[in-house]
Amino acid sequence: MASPAKRVKTSPKTIGTHNGYFHADEALAVFMLRLTPEYQGATVVRSRNPELLEACDIIVDVQGVYDGVKHFDHHQRGFTETFSPNFATKLSSAGLIYKHFGPQIIAQSLGVEESSPSVSLVLTKLYQEFIEALDANDNGISAYPADVKPLFSDKGVTLGSIVGSLNPDWNKPVTDEEHNEKFEQASTLIGQVFLSKLNYYGGAWLPARDFVVEGLNSRKELDPSGKILVFKTSIPWKDHLFNLEKELAIPEEEKPLYVLYGEGPGKPWRIQAVPVSKDSFQSRKPLPEAWRGIRDEALSELTGIPGGVFVHASGFIGGNKTYEGALEMAQKALQIE
Protein backbone atom coordinates (compact mmCIF):
# COMPACT_ATOMS: atom_id res chain seq x y z
CA MET A 1 0.00 0.00 0.00
CA ALA A 2 1.40 3.34 -1.05
CA SER A 3 2.22 5.76 1.73
CA PRO A 4 0.21 8.99 1.79
CA ALA A 5 1.87 12.00 0.26
CA LYS A 6 3.66 14.18 2.75
CA ARG A 7 2.28 17.64 3.26
CA VAL A 8 4.69 20.27 2.06
CA LYS A 9 5.62 22.62 4.87
CA THR A 10 5.70 26.20 3.69
CA SER A 11 7.67 28.88 5.48
CA PRO A 12 5.75 31.94 6.71
CA LYS A 13 5.98 35.07 4.61
CA THR A 14 8.29 37.85 5.73
CA ILE A 15 7.52 41.55 5.94
CA GLY A 16 10.48 43.91 5.87
CA THR A 17 10.55 47.36 7.47
CA HIS A 18 13.16 49.63 9.01
CA ASN A 19 14.60 49.15 12.45
CA GLY A 20 15.14 51.83 15.10
CA TYR A 21 12.42 54.32 16.03
CA PHE A 22 9.04 53.12 14.75
CA HIS A 23 5.97 55.11 13.76
CA ALA A 24 2.23 54.54 13.51
CA ASP A 25 2.24 54.11 9.73
CA GLU A 26 4.49 51.07 9.42
CA ALA A 27 3.06 49.58 12.62
CA LEU A 28 -0.41 49.67 11.03
CA ALA A 29 0.88 48.60 7.61
CA VAL A 30 2.30 45.42 9.13
CA PHE A 31 -0.92 44.73 11.04
CA MET A 32 -3.08 45.15 7.94
CA LEU A 33 -0.88 42.85 5.89
CA ARG A 34 -1.24 40.16 8.54
CA LEU A 35 -5.03 40.37 8.13
CA THR A 36 -4.71 38.99 4.60
CA PRO A 37 -4.52 35.23 3.94
CA GLU A 38 -1.22 35.71 2.12
CA TYR A 39 0.55 37.36 5.04
CA GLN A 40 -1.31 35.84 7.97
CA GLY A 41 1.26 34.91 10.60
CA ALA A 42 4.05 36.64 8.68
CA THR A 43 7.28 37.39 10.51
CA VAL A 44 8.72 40.89 10.53
CA VAL A 45 12.31 41.71 9.64
CA ARG A 46 13.31 45.14 10.98
CA SER A 47 16.57 46.27 9.42
CA ARG A 48 18.33 48.90 7.30
CA ASN A 49 20.38 46.24 5.52
CA PRO A 50 19.25 46.29 1.85
CA GLU A 51 20.11 42.63 1.29
CA LEU A 52 18.10 41.46 4.30
CA LEU A 53 15.16 43.61 3.27
CA GLU A 54 15.17 42.52 -0.37
CA ALA A 55 15.05 38.90 0.79
CA CYS A 56 11.63 39.62 2.33
CA ASP A 57 8.38 38.96 0.49
CA ILE A 58 7.17 42.55 0.91
CA ILE A 59 8.82 45.74 2.18
CA VAL A 60 7.11 48.72 3.84
CA ASP A 61 8.35 52.20 4.79
CA VAL A 62 11.97 51.66 3.71
CA GLN A 63 14.19 51.20 0.62
CA GLY A 64 12.91 54.32 -1.17
CA VAL A 65 10.84 52.41 -3.74
CA TYR A 66 7.13 52.13 -4.45
CA ASP A 67 5.96 49.70 -7.10
CA GLY A 68 2.65 48.47 -5.67
CA VAL A 69 3.87 44.88 -5.70
CA LYS A 70 6.75 44.35 -3.29
CA HIS A 71 7.94 47.82 -2.33
CA PHE A 72 5.73 50.24 -0.39
CA ASP A 73 7.84 53.22 0.66
CA HIS A 74 6.90 56.90 0.50
CA HIS A 75 10.11 58.69 1.47
CA GLN A 76 11.67 58.89 -1.99
CA ARG A 77 12.02 62.13 -3.92
CA GLY A 78 9.17 62.72 -6.34
CA PHE A 79 6.66 60.49 -4.53
CA THR A 80 3.18 62.03 -4.84
CA GLU A 81 0.79 59.07 -4.54
CA THR A 82 -2.61 59.79 -2.99
CA PHE A 83 -5.49 57.49 -2.12
CA SER A 84 -7.59 58.71 -5.05
CA PRO A 85 -8.08 61.88 -7.10
CA ASN A 86 -10.57 62.99 -4.42
CA PHE A 87 -7.83 63.26 -1.79
CA ALA A 88 -4.79 65.54 -1.69
CA THR A 89 -2.92 63.97 1.24
CA LYS A 90 0.26 62.14 0.27
CA LEU A 91 0.23 58.51 1.40
CA SER A 92 2.43 56.97 4.08
CA SER A 93 3.21 53.26 4.20
CA ALA A 94 -0.13 52.75 5.99
CA GLY A 95 -2.04 54.48 3.19
CA LEU A 96 -0.12 52.55 0.52
CA ILE A 97 -0.87 49.16 2.07
CA TYR A 98 -4.48 50.19 2.66
CA LYS A 99 -4.88 51.35 -0.93
CA HIS A 100 -3.66 48.03 -2.31
CA PHE A 101 -4.86 45.54 0.30
CA GLY A 102 -7.79 47.43 1.87
CA PRO A 103 -10.42 46.12 -0.57
CA GLN A 104 -9.40 42.54 0.20
CA ILE A 105 -9.42 43.15 3.97
CA ILE A 106 -12.82 44.87 3.89
CA ALA A 107 -14.42 42.28 1.59
CA GLN A 108 -13.17 39.58 3.92
CA SER A 109 -14.64 41.40 6.92
CA LEU A 110 -18.02 42.00 5.24
CA GLY A 111 -18.20 38.52 3.70
CA VAL A 112 -18.72 39.88 0.17
CA GLU A 113 -16.81 40.05 -3.10
CA GLU A 114 -14.27 42.84 -3.58
CA SER A 115 -16.41 44.15 -6.44
CA SER A 116 -19.34 44.81 -4.08
CA PRO A 117 -20.37 48.49 -3.81
CA SER A 118 -20.33 48.00 -0.03
CA VAL A 119 -16.55 47.50 -0.15
CA SER A 120 -16.03 50.76 -2.00
CA LEU A 121 -18.22 52.68 0.45
CA VAL A 122 -16.43 51.37 3.55
CA LEU A 123 -13.00 51.65 1.90
CA THR A 124 -13.40 55.36 1.24
CA LYS A 125 -15.09 56.10 4.56
CA LEU A 126 -12.43 54.33 6.63
CA TYR A 127 -9.67 56.09 4.75
CA GLN A 128 -11.33 59.47 5.19
CA GLU A 129 -12.05 59.03 8.89
CA PHE A 130 -8.93 57.17 10.03
CA ILE A 131 -6.09 56.33 7.63
CA GLU A 132 -5.74 59.77 6.06
CA ALA A 133 -4.87 61.39 9.40
CA LEU A 134 -2.06 58.86 9.88
CA ASP A 135 -0.77 59.59 6.38
CA ALA A 136 -0.80 63.32 7.07
CA ASN A 137 0.89 62.91 10.45
CA ASP A 138 3.75 60.85 9.04
CA ASN A 139 4.25 63.22 6.12
CA GLY A 140 4.25 66.32 8.32
CA ILE A 141 0.99 67.70 6.95
CA SER A 142 -1.08 69.81 9.35
CA ALA A 143 -4.85 69.78 9.42
CA TYR A 144 -4.81 73.58 9.83
CA PRO A 145 -3.09 76.49 8.07
CA ALA A 146 0.28 77.42 9.56
CA ASP A 147 -0.97 80.82 10.71
CA VAL A 148 -3.68 79.29 12.93
CA LYS A 149 -2.46 79.08 16.52
CA PRO A 150 -3.99 76.13 18.43
CA LEU A 151 -5.66 76.88 21.74
CA PHE A 152 -4.04 73.84 23.33
CA SER A 153 -1.74 70.96 22.41
CA ASP A 154 -3.38 67.70 21.33
CA LYS A 155 -0.18 65.96 20.27
CA GLY A 156 -0.11 63.74 23.33
CA VAL A 157 -3.48 62.17 22.54
CA THR A 158 -3.03 61.42 18.84
CA LEU A 159 -2.54 57.82 17.78
CA GLY A 160 0.79 58.73 16.23
CA SER A 161 1.99 60.08 19.57
CA ILE A 162 0.67 57.13 21.54
CA VAL A 163 2.33 54.63 19.20
CA GLY A 164 5.55 56.65 19.29
CA SER A 165 5.56 56.59 23.09
CA LEU A 166 5.98 52.81 22.98
CA ASN A 167 9.51 53.25 21.64
CA PRO A 168 12.23 52.68 24.26
CA ASP A 169 13.37 55.74 26.20
CA TRP A 170 16.53 57.30 24.81
CA ASN A 171 18.37 56.86 28.09
CA LYS A 172 17.44 53.22 28.63
CA PRO A 173 19.51 50.98 26.34
CA VAL A 174 17.65 48.02 24.87
CA THR A 175 18.55 45.12 22.62
CA ASP A 176 17.23 44.81 19.06
CA GLU A 177 15.00 41.99 20.25
CA GLU A 178 13.47 44.18 22.95
CA HIS A 179 12.91 47.01 20.48
CA ASN A 180 11.24 44.58 18.07
CA GLU A 181 8.95 43.43 20.87
CA LYS A 182 7.96 47.06 21.42
CA PHE A 183 7.19 47.35 17.71
CA GLU A 184 4.90 44.32 17.91
CA GLN A 185 3.07 45.93 20.83
CA ALA A 186 2.64 49.11 18.81
CA SER A 187 1.39 47.18 15.78
CA THR A 188 -1.18 45.36 17.90
CA LEU A 189 -2.31 48.58 19.58
CA ILE A 190 -2.98 50.54 16.42
CA GLY A 191 -4.26 47.42 14.69
CA GLN A 192 -6.96 46.95 17.30
CA VAL A 193 -8.09 50.54 16.72
CA PHE A 194 -8.20 49.82 12.98
CA LEU A 195 -10.32 46.71 13.55
CA SER A 196 -12.67 48.64 15.83
CA LYS A 197 -13.14 51.28 13.12
CA LEU A 198 -13.59 48.64 10.42
CA ASN A 199 -16.18 46.77 12.49
CA TYR A 200 -18.10 49.98 13.14
CA TYR A 201 -18.16 51.22 9.56
CA GLY A 202 -18.90 47.77 8.17
CA GLY A 203 -21.31 46.62 10.86
CA ALA A 204 -23.13 49.79 11.94
CA TRP A 205 -22.44 52.73 9.64
CA LEU A 206 -22.95 50.85 6.35
CA PRO A 207 -26.30 49.19 7.24
CA ALA A 208 -27.70 52.60 8.17
CA ARG A 209 -27.54 53.59 4.50
CA ASP A 210 -30.48 51.31 3.67
CA PHE A 211 -32.59 53.00 6.36
CA VAL A 212 -31.77 56.42 4.94
CA VAL A 213 -32.68 55.24 1.44
CA GLU A 214 -35.98 53.91 2.77
CA GLY A 215 -36.61 57.15 4.67
CA LEU A 216 -36.00 59.27 1.59
CA ASN A 217 -38.28 57.10 -0.54
CA SER A 218 -41.16 57.22 1.96
CA ARG A 219 -40.80 60.73 3.34
CA LYS A 220 -43.71 62.20 1.37
CA GLU A 221 -46.03 59.57 2.86
CA LEU A 222 -45.38 61.11 6.29
CA ASP A 223 -45.66 64.72 5.19
CA PRO A 224 -46.47 65.99 1.68
CA SER A 225 -43.57 68.46 1.86
CA GLY A 226 -41.05 65.63 1.91
CA LYS A 227 -38.97 67.69 4.31
CA ILE A 228 -39.26 65.32 7.28
CA LEU A 229 -37.36 62.04 7.63
CA VAL A 230 -38.24 59.44 10.26
CA PHE A 231 -36.08 56.63 11.69
CA LYS A 232 -37.40 54.31 14.37
CA THR A 233 -34.12 54.56 16.25
CA SER A 234 -31.02 56.72 16.27
CA ILE A 235 -28.70 55.83 13.38
CA PRO A 236 -25.61 57.43 11.77
CA TRP A 237 -27.59 59.19 9.05
CA LYS A 238 -25.75 62.38 8.16
CA ASP A 239 -23.08 61.00 5.80
CA HIS A 240 -25.59 58.88 3.96
CA LEU A 241 -28.15 61.67 3.64
CA PHE A 242 -25.71 64.12 2.06
CA ASN A 243 -24.26 61.47 -0.26
CA LEU A 244 -27.67 60.22 -1.33
CA GLU A 245 -28.95 63.73 -1.97
CA LYS A 246 -26.12 64.12 -4.48
CA GLU A 247 -26.59 60.67 -6.01
CA LEU A 248 -30.35 61.13 -6.38
CA ALA A 249 -29.98 64.78 -7.48
CA ILE A 250 -32.62 65.92 -4.99
CA PRO A 251 -33.50 69.57 -5.69
CA GLU A 252 -32.65 72.08 -2.97
CA GLU A 253 -36.30 72.86 -2.33
CA GLU A 254 -37.09 69.17 -1.70
CA LYS A 255 -34.23 68.33 0.65
CA PRO A 256 -35.21 67.23 4.18
CA LEU A 257 -35.03 69.84 6.93
CA TYR A 258 -35.83 67.72 9.99
CA VAL A 259 -35.03 64.18 11.09
CA LEU A 260 -37.12 62.35 13.71
CA TYR A 261 -35.82 59.31 15.58
CA GLY A 262 -36.78 57.32 18.64
CA GLU A 263 -34.53 56.75 21.63
CA GLY A 264 -35.99 53.32 22.43
CA PRO A 265 -39.20 51.72 23.71
CA GLY A 266 -40.99 53.97 26.16
CA LYS A 267 -38.47 56.76 25.66
CA PRO A 268 -38.90 60.21 24.04
CA TRP A 269 -38.49 61.02 20.37
CA ARG A 270 -35.99 63.53 19.05
CA ILE A 271 -36.41 66.09 16.29
CA GLN A 272 -33.11 67.19 14.81
CA ALA A 273 -32.57 69.95 12.26
CA VAL A 274 -30.49 68.82 9.28
CA PRO A 275 -27.17 70.72 9.19
CA VAL A 276 -26.06 72.60 6.08
CA SER A 277 -23.17 70.12 5.77
CA LYS A 278 -22.08 66.96 7.57
CA ASP A 279 -19.79 68.64 10.09
CA SER A 280 -21.53 72.01 10.36
CA PHE A 281 -23.20 73.41 13.47
CA GLN A 282 -25.42 75.56 11.25
CA SER A 283 -28.81 74.07 10.41
CA ARG A 284 -30.79 74.28 7.18
CA LYS A 285 -33.77 75.40 9.25
CA PRO A 286 -33.30 75.53 13.03
CA LEU A 287 -36.30 74.95 15.25
CA PRO A 288 -38.24 78.20 15.85
CA GLU A 289 -36.43 80.84 17.86
CA ALA A 290 -39.35 81.24 20.28
CA TRP A 291 -39.08 77.54 21.26
CA ARG A 292 -35.36 77.56 22.01
CA GLY A 293 -34.28 76.94 25.58
CA ILE A 294 -37.86 76.06 26.66
CA ARG A 295 -38.63 72.74 28.41
CA ASP A 296 -41.42 70.44 29.53
CA GLU A 297 -44.85 71.95 30.26
CA ALA A 298 -43.73 75.43 29.29
CA LEU A 299 -42.75 74.07 25.87
CA SER A 300 -46.05 72.22 25.48
CA GLU A 301 -48.01 75.38 26.33
CA LEU A 302 -45.94 77.50 23.96
CA THR A 303 -46.21 75.13 20.98
CA GLY A 304 -49.69 73.84 21.71
CA ILE A 305 -48.31 70.31 21.34
CA PRO A 306 -48.58 67.91 24.33
CA GLY A 307 -45.54 66.00 25.54
CA GLY A 308 -42.89 68.64 25.02
CA VAL A 309 -39.48 67.73 26.46
CA PHE A 310 -37.05 70.43 25.32
CA VAL A 311 -35.65 72.51 22.49
CA HIS A 312 -31.93 73.26 22.54
CA ALA A 313 -30.90 76.89 22.90
CA SER A 314 -29.38 76.84 19.40
CA GLY A 315 -32.46 75.21 17.84
CA PHE A 316 -30.61 72.28 16.32
CA ILE A 317 -32.47 69.60 18.29
CA GLY A 318 -35.56 69.10 20.44
CA GLY A 319 -37.65 66.35 21.95
CA ASN A 320 -41.16 65.14 22.61
CA LYS A 321 -42.48 62.25 24.66
CA THR A 322 -44.18 60.65 21.64
CA TYR A 323 -43.62 60.13 17.93
CA GLU A 324 -46.87 61.94 17.16
CA GLY A 325 -45.75 64.92 19.20
CA ALA A 326 -42.34 65.06 17.54
CA LEU A 327 -43.92 64.85 14.10
CA GLU A 328 -46.34 67.65 14.94
CA MET A 329 -43.44 69.78 16.19
CA ALA A 330 -41.61 69.25 12.89
CA GLN A 331 -44.70 70.04 10.81
CA LYS A 332 -45.38 73.19 12.81
CA ALA A 333 -41.74 74.31 12.61
CA LEU A 334 -41.90 74.04 8.81
CA GLN A 335 -44.67 76.64 8.79
CA ILE A 336 -42.87 79.16 11.01
CA GLU A 337 -40.46 81.54 9.33
Side-chain angles (χ1 to χ4, degrees):
M1 183 177 180
S3 60
K6 293 183 178 180
R7 179 175 295 175
V8 178
K9 184 178 180 180
T10 57
S11 300
K13 296 276 189 177
T14 54
I15 303 171
T17 190
H18 62 82
N19 59 5
Y21 195 99
F22 53 76
H23 302 88
D25 69 316
E26 76 265 20
L28 180 58
V30 167
F31 186 91
M32 288 190 290
L33 283 171
R34 284 170 164 168
L35 292 177
T36 67
E38 185 178 4
Y39 290 99
Q40 185 177 11
T43 58
V44 175
V45 175
R46 298 183 71 239
S47 174
R48 293 283 184 181
N49 185 315
E51 292 183 0
L52 285 177
L53 290 169
E54 289 301 328
C56 296
D57 296 287
I58 194 168
I59 308 167
V60 299
D61 210 43
V62 69
Q63 292 291 79
V65 178
Y66 164 60
D67 58 18
V69 179
K70 179 176 180 176
H71 300 85
F72 293 84
D73 196 8
H74 65 109
H75 296 100
Q76 57 274 23
R77 185 181 181 87
F79 178 87
T80 59
E81 191 77 9
T82 62
F83 183 68
S84 78
N86 297 324
F87 293 89
T89 303
K90 190 168 69 171
L91 299 180
S92 67
S93 62
L96 285 172
I97 292 300
Y98 184 75
K99 181 173 183 174
H100 287 270
F101 293 88
Q104 179 184 357
I105 293 169
I106 292 169
Q108 181 177 289
S109 176
L110 298 180
V112 299
E113 298 293 328
E114 285 187 42
S115 58
S116 168
S118 296
V119 171
S120 179
L121 285 169
V122 174
L123 183 75
T124 301
K125 181 63 175 175
L126 186 51
Y127 181 77
Q128 184 179 45
E129 301 293 342
F130 182 59
I131 305 290
E132 185 177 20
L134 296 175
D135 286 342
N137 177 266
D138 199 73
N139 283 304
I141 302 171
S142 175
Y144 305 100
D147 59 349
V148 175
K149 183 180 179 180
L151 297 177
F152 59 89
S153 174
D154 63 353
K155 291 183 178 179
V157 297
T158 66
L159 266 177
S161 171
I162 294 170
V163 167
S165 70
L166 293 177
N167 279 281
D169 294 335
W170 69 270
N171 55 354
K172 294 181 181 178
V174 295
T175 64
D176 287 344
E177 182 179 357
E178 289 171 331
H179 205 158
N180 291 342
E181 289 176 0
K182 291 285 189 179
F183 173 82
E184 292 291 348
Q185 292 175 21
S187 184
T188 299
L189 172 64
I190 196 165
Q192 290 303 317
V193 177
F194 171 80
L195 286 180
S196 176
K197 296 287 187 181
L198 173 57
N199 291 337
Y200 168 73
Y201 289 119
W205 176 82
L206 180 64
R209 180 182 169 90
D210 291 337
F211 288 88
V212 180
V213 170
E214 181 182 351
L216 283 171
N217 289 338
S218 62
R219 70 191 193 280
K220 291 188 178 180
E221 297 172 12
L222 299 168
D223 187 88
S225 70
K227 296 183 182 294
I228 302 172
L229 283 181
V230 176
F231 306 121
K232 292 181 179 179
T233 189
S234 176
I235 64 171
W237 54 268
K238 290 182 184 177
D239 277 337
H240 299 304
L241 176 60
F242 288 108
N243 290 335
L244 286 165
E245 285 178 341
K246 290 180 181 178
E247 291 177 23
L248 301 173
I250 297 176
E252 196 67 32
E253 65 274 12
E254 294 184 14
K255 290 181 178 179
L257 298 179
Y258 298 118
V259 171
L260 310 184
Y261 55 86
E263 295 184 322
K267 295 183 179 180
W269 276 72
R270 293 292 177 100
I271 168 175
Q272 185 168 348
V274 177
V276 296
S277 63
K278 180 177 74 72
D279 298 314
S280 175
F281 290 108
Q282 182 181 353
S283 302
R284 288 176 175 173
K285 184 176 176 58
L287 291 169
E289 195 279 333
W291 299 1
R292 300 174 199 173
I294 311 298
R295 303 186 61 89
D296 305 322
E297 284 302 317
L299 179 62
S300 296
E301 291 180 10
L302 178 63
T303 62
I305 302 168
V309 176
F310 79 101
V311 171
H312 191 274
S314 68
F316 89 97
I317 196 168
N320 192 282
K321 292 178 181 178
T322 67
Y323 160 70
E324 291 78 13
L327 178 60
E328 191 174 351
M329 284 177 69
Q331 290 172 327
K332 195 164 218 177
L334 288 176
Q335 305 305 317
I336 299 176
E337 295 297 330

